[in-house]
């Protein structure tokens, strides 16, 4: 009888230890609006094992791609509602909560990729990230290169006048309208998951995204021209909800920063390679890829940088432009 009692006690202890171990690992929800095959998503999936190792098994990640936890506005709100723990989001979406962070997503804000990269590593970006953190309670860890955004359409667009009256889909954040407005187009906000159908049905005439996204979302199937306007050197913020971040020890915060920065580098490097390869790939699919003199587009847009739609002050703008 005594032996059986001891066995029962040991078994109960084992169950408790097992339950404790199960509770010890927190599985975080990482939401995004990108396809499962895209680098942002595949690199995020790979981050789970790295985070688990770096935190001694306390944290891992489950990634939810393709708007499965909501549209971009939904997942931004989800950080505060507790429905998501980590997100990728565009700078202009984050700018709804803290205007100055949107500056990096504005059209023709950067001279080239090198200018963008130096901004990513700058004190200015760190200060803007802290401003967002202070305003929202959520924490920006990383900036991932998303690619140069280009206009797709069913006619060649070689000069600003070619966009006059064009109904172009843009993401549902006001600053995405700056470029279309500058060249006389009609910006039409539509959720990312609905763009293909809108193009197919003629609800809009055009859309704009980087080449890897145009491929992944198959927009080239319903648009015969890709016009290399390069009007935004775009990037995605990685943001951790305050409810998660504020519970982390300093050591775990450092582990999160390191793993999520490595994840940003993973996706950035793949996007750079994909951009280089895709022009020929699109041509091989029978798509017309049009080289564009960007200067007239840039000249028209820069005039609006510090206009009424700007969500940053002139001092912030001047600091960004002064980065060499």
């Amino acid at each position: 009888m005594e032996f059986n009692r001891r066995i029962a006690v040991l078994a109960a202890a084992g169950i408790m230890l097992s339950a404790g171990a199960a509770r010890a690992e927190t599985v975080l929800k990482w939401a995004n609006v990108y396809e499962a095959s895209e680098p942002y998503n595949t690199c995020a999936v790979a981050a789970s094992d790295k985070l688990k190792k770096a935190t001694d098994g306390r944290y891992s990640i489950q990634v939810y791609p393709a708007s499965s936890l909501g549209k971009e506005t939904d997942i931004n709100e989800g950080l505060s509602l507790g429905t998501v723990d980590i997100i990728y989001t565009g700078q202009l979406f984050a700018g709804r909560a803290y205007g100055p962070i949107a500056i990096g997503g504005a059209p023709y804000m950067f001279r080239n990729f090198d200018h963008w990269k130096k901004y990513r590593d700058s004190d200015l970006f760190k200060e803007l990230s802290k401003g967002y953190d202070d305003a929202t309670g959520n924490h920006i860890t990383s900036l991932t290169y998303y690619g140069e955004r280009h206009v797709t359409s069913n006619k060649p667009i070689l000069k600003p006048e070619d966009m006059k009256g064009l109904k172009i889909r843009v993401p549902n954040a006001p600053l995405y309208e700056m470029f279309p407005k500058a060249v006389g187009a009609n910006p039409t906000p539509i959720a990312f998951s609905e763009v293909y159908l809108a193009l197919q049905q003629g609800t809009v005439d055009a859309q704009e995204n980087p080449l890897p996204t145009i491929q992944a979302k198959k927009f080239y199937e319903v648009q015969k021209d890709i016009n290399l306007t390069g009007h935004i050197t775009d990037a995605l913020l990685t943001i951790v909800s305050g409810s998660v971040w504020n519970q982390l020890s300093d050591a775990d915060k450092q582990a999160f920063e390191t793993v999520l920065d490595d994840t940003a580098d993973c996706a950035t490097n793949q996007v750079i390679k994909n951009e280089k390869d895709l022009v020929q790939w699109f041509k091989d699919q029978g798509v017309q890829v049009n080289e564009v003199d960007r200067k007239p587009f840039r000249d028209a847009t820069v005039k609006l940088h510090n206009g009424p739609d700007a969500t940053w002050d002139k001092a912030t703008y001047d600091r960004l432009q002064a980065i060499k």
Side-chain angles (χ1 to χ4, degrees), residues 23 83 124 126 183 232 234 251 307:
R23 283 196 301 271
T83 53
L124 175 59
K126 290 185 179 72
V183 293
I232 297 178
D234 212 356

Side-chain angles (χ1 to χ4, degrees), residues 297-310:
F297 291 91
R298 175 184 285 277
D299 290 347
T301 306
V302 167
K303 298 172 186 175
L304 305 183
H305 275 178
N306 292 297
D309 292 333

